[in-house]
Amino acid sequence: MNLIELKNKKYFFQTNSKDIKKDDVFIALKGEKNDGHNYLNDAFQRGASFAVVEKDIPFKNILKVDNVLIHILKETSKLVNNNSKLKIGITGSTGKTTTKECLHQILSNTLSIFSTHENYNTEIGIPLSILNYYNNEDVAILEMGLQKKDDLKFLSNFYDLDVAFITNIGTSHIEFLESKENIAYQKSLITKNMKKGLVVLNGDYEKLLDFIPKNLNIIKFGKKDSNDSVLKDFEYLENKTKVLYKIFGKDVFLTLNNIWSEGQLIDLLAVISFCIFIQIPIDPYFISNIELPSSRFEIIKTDNCTIINDSYNASFESFKSGFESIKKYTSKDKKILIMSEIKESGEYSKEIHIKTIKLAQNIFNEIYFLDPENKFNYLNNINFIRNIEEVKELINNTKGIIYIKGSNSTGLYKFMKERSYL
């Protein structure tokens, strides 16, 4: 039995032996630190029915291939390339998941849509998502992340994209890519093997255009008037967002349910511009009811405060965008920022954190920085907290609007996801 036959028989695939349930298929990936082949006993003891391996293993129900990672990439990309009429890839420093969700929800009004599961956006996550959730839909939307140099170039060798979205260029990953120009180049590699098609890109970072192949059509969106589609203004009214776009020269007014951040509104602009360009019908009522991903500018009301949970991840640009949104959030209540470290900043860390705090000081009445290791004592005129328990105490004893943001590994995202503030 081959990989796709196992998929067609509705087996569920796992890459972590601890996640195996009865009759799952275990994919034994060999990484830099761990080798999945060392966990085959554990996988079968937990109920695995098959395992995909690349070593000679004395087990029954083994599918042996030359290279497990390359095999699952080849087989899943062949499946998508041959069956979906429209293949869309999404990358960018921030906003990938929001763009994916907006695309999925708008296009599903008229087409059958597959999109990669949650944040499964790596060379492992994408094929795993396809194996478990893809059912030959008309449109395949693949979120593609960048963890190291040439990741997108590698992925572009497998998935034949018709459309590529580049949501923005920020300082995420600047620690190992060294400059925004390098980041822009690496993001542009999503288009590396596109012979024809469309690129929908954030034109606010104009250098990005230098790296896009000339044979591709381009739609530019962003805040600058030089773009094809522009976010002109927005405001909050009760629990709604009113937004003014100029799209291909025409003013477009929308009222959206819930509170959308500036960054999310720009992501939505990209999606609407794409749909107009390819003449997909758009229902404003349908757009107004889009459900945003959790932990991205999520409004949570408690007895004593309003929490704006933006804890999913952080970069200087996403902080800046979030702050612009907080400024629009008119209220007589005091505004409190609870933030943590912006990771992957490398040698730029001090500069980025100082710039972030300076912006925050123009908006917030109080600023609290989660700094367990006392690494950021060079930051002035803010309050330091040392552990997650202090974050909980702060939320429970503060009245006002509390904006929460930081990189995933600092613990704020997990704290908010587990509703530990209750």
Side-chain angles (χ1 to χ4, degrees):
M1 195 174 298
N2 63 39
L3 192 72
I4 301 305
E5 287 173 338
L6 289 170
K7 171 183 169 48
N8 290 339
K9 288 183 176 292
K10 305 300 182 183
Y11 284 100
F12 200 82
F13 296 79
Q14 302 280 11
T15 57
N16 188 332
S17 65
K18 292 179 181 178
D19 296 331
I20 290 287
K21 296 179 178 61
K22 189 175 185 305
D23 292 331
D24 285 351
V25 176
F26 178 55
I27 299 176
L29 288 162
K30 191 166 71 172
E32 293 180 7
K33 296 181 179 178
N34 289 307
D35 186 343
H37 297 80
N38 296 332
Y39 300 91
L40 282 165
N41 271 323
D42 184 50
F44 281 111
Q45 286 173 5
R46 291 174 184 269
S49 54
F50 289 88
V52 184
V53 303
E54 61 190 59
K55 294 181 179 180
D56 291 321
I57 301 291
F59 282 92
K60 294 181 179 179
N61 295 342
I62 291 294
L63 172 61
K64 185 176 182 296
V65 298
D66 291 334
N67 181 299
V68 171
L69 177 61
I70 298 300
H71 185 76
I72 64 173
L73 280 163
K74 281 183 175 179
E75 293 301 307
T76 58
S77 60
K78 189 190 306 180
L79 191 65
V80 169
N81 293 339
N82 290 342
N83 289 284
S84 287
K85 301 177 183 67
L86 184 64
K87 283 83 67 180
I88 303 172
I90 304 173
T91 193
S93 296
T94 59
K96 295 183 291 296
T97 303
T98 299
T99 302
K100 178 184 69 177
E101 290 301 320
C102 290
L103 261 176
H104 189 124
Q105 292 177 58
I106 291 174
L107 294 179
S108 63
N109 205 27
T110 53
L111 299 162
S112 64
I113 310 295
F114 163 82
S115 59
T116 44
H117 188 58
E118 295 180 346
N119 63 337
Y120 284 36
N121 61 18
T122 66
E123 71 270 19
I124 297 170
I126 295 169
L128 187 63
S129 192
I130 292 168
L131 286 169
N132 288 330
Y133 302 107
Y134 179 70
N135 290 297
N136 299 345
E137 286 85 354
D138 296 327
V139 180
I141 305 172
L142 311 178
E143 180 180 331
M144 296 181 168
L146 175 63
Q147 294 184 316
K148 60 185 182 299
K149 183 180 177 183
D150 290 341
D151 273 352
L152 292 170
K153 180 180 179 181
F154 177 69
L155 285 171
S156 74
N157 291 323
F158 297 95
Y159 301 101
D160 297 337
L161 300 180
D162 303 297
V163 181
F165 279 75
I166 304 177
T167 59
N168 55 37
I169 301 299
T171 51
S172 297
H173 314 305
I174 201 165
E175 179 178 15
F176 61 88
L177 293 178
E178 298 179 347
S179 72
K180 284 185 73 172
E181 185 172 341
N182 288 343
I183 293 169
Y185 172 70
Q186 287 295 323
K187 296 294 184 184
S188 75
L189 292 177
I190 192 173
T191 67
K192 179 71 175 175
N193 289 305
M194 292 177 67
K195 304 294 186 294
K196 60 181 180 177
L198 174 66
V199 184
V200 185
L201 60 81
N202 192 314
D204 289 348
Y205 186 72
E206 296 174 6
K207 187 70 177 174
L208 179 59
L209 291 165
D210 294 343
F211 305 123
I212 303 301
K214 304 304 180 188
N215 57 303
L216 302 177
N217 293 311
I218 294 174
I219 296 173
K220 298 185 296 177
F221 65 91
K223 294 173 67 177
K224 292 183 178 180
D225 289 336
S226 57
N227 291 306
D228 300 303
S229 298
V230 183
L231 172 62
K232 299 297 291 184
D233 198 10
F234 65 99
E235 65 178 357
Y236 302 128
L237 183 64
E238 295 178 347
N239 197 40
K240 296 184 183 293
T241 304
K242 292 184 175 292
V243 58
L244 169 61
Y245 295 129
K246 185 174 281 291
I247 303 177
F248 302 124
K250 295 182 178 180
D251 287 341
V252 176
F253 296 90
L254 292 171
T255 299
L256 308 172
N257 290 333
N258 302 315
I259 301 299
W260 290 58
S261 72
E262 180 186 78
Q264 290 168 330
L265 292 172
I266 292 173
D267 297 334
L268 178 62
L269 173 62
V271 173
I272 293 173
S273 302
F274 164 71
C275 291
I276 290 173
F277 184 83
I278 65 169
Q279 300 181 340
I280 291 284
I282 299 177
D283 183 342
Y285 176 79
F286 194 78
I287 293 174
S288 71
N289 288 290
I290 288 175
E291 293 184 13
L292 291 166
S294 64
S295 303
R296 282 94 161 170
F297 220 77
E298 176 185 17
I299 307 297
I300 302 168
K301 301 275 190 180
T302 71
D303 291 339
N304 63 312
C305 67
T306 298
I307 300 171
I308 301 178
N309 175 21
D310 204 11
S311 62
Y312 177 72
N313 219 332
S315 64
F316 170 73
E317 289 77 16
S318 63
F319 263 107
K320 184 178 179 182
S321 174
F323 292 167
E324 289 297 315
S325 307
I326 296 293
K327 281 200 295 189
K328 298 269 189 177
Y329 199 82
T330 55
S331 171
K332 295 179 181 178
D333 296 329
K334 67 178 179 179
K335 295 177 180 178
I336 300 102
L337 170 64
I338 301 176
M339 67 172 289
S340 60
E341 181 178 357
I342 302 171
K343 296 282 190 178
E344 297 182 346
S345 302
E347 63 182 282
Y348 301 94
S349 177
K350 186 172 182 178
E351 174 189 347
I352 285 173
H353 284 92
I354 289 173
K355 283 167 60 179
T356 303
I357 293 299
K358 282 184 176 178
L359 288 177
Q361 287 169 338
N362 294 323
I363 299 166
F364 295 93
N365 303 100
E366 299 173 14
I367 300 170
Y368 294 86
F369 196 112
L370 176 60
D371 182 20
E373 300 174 8
N374 197 26
K375 290 164 51 178
F376 296 92
N377 52 14
Y378 58 82
L379 297 173
N380 299 318
N381 301 317
I382 64 171
N383 305 290
F384 289 99
I385 47 181
R386 301 303 177 192
N387 53 60
I388 288 293
E389 192 59 35
E390 289 185 52
V391 176
K392 183 176 181 178
E393 290 176 12
L394 190 57
I395 291 173
N396 289 331
N397 295 300
T398 301
K399 290 186 177 181
I401 297 168
I402 303 176
Y403 181 57
I404 299 178
K405 190 169 186 64
S407 291
N408 276 350
S409 59
T410 63
L412 282 180
Y413 172 67
K414 183 180 181 208
F415 168 79
M416 292 303 298
K417 186 178 181 181
E418 294 176 350
R419 300 175 67 84
S420 303
Y421 52 88
L422 296 177

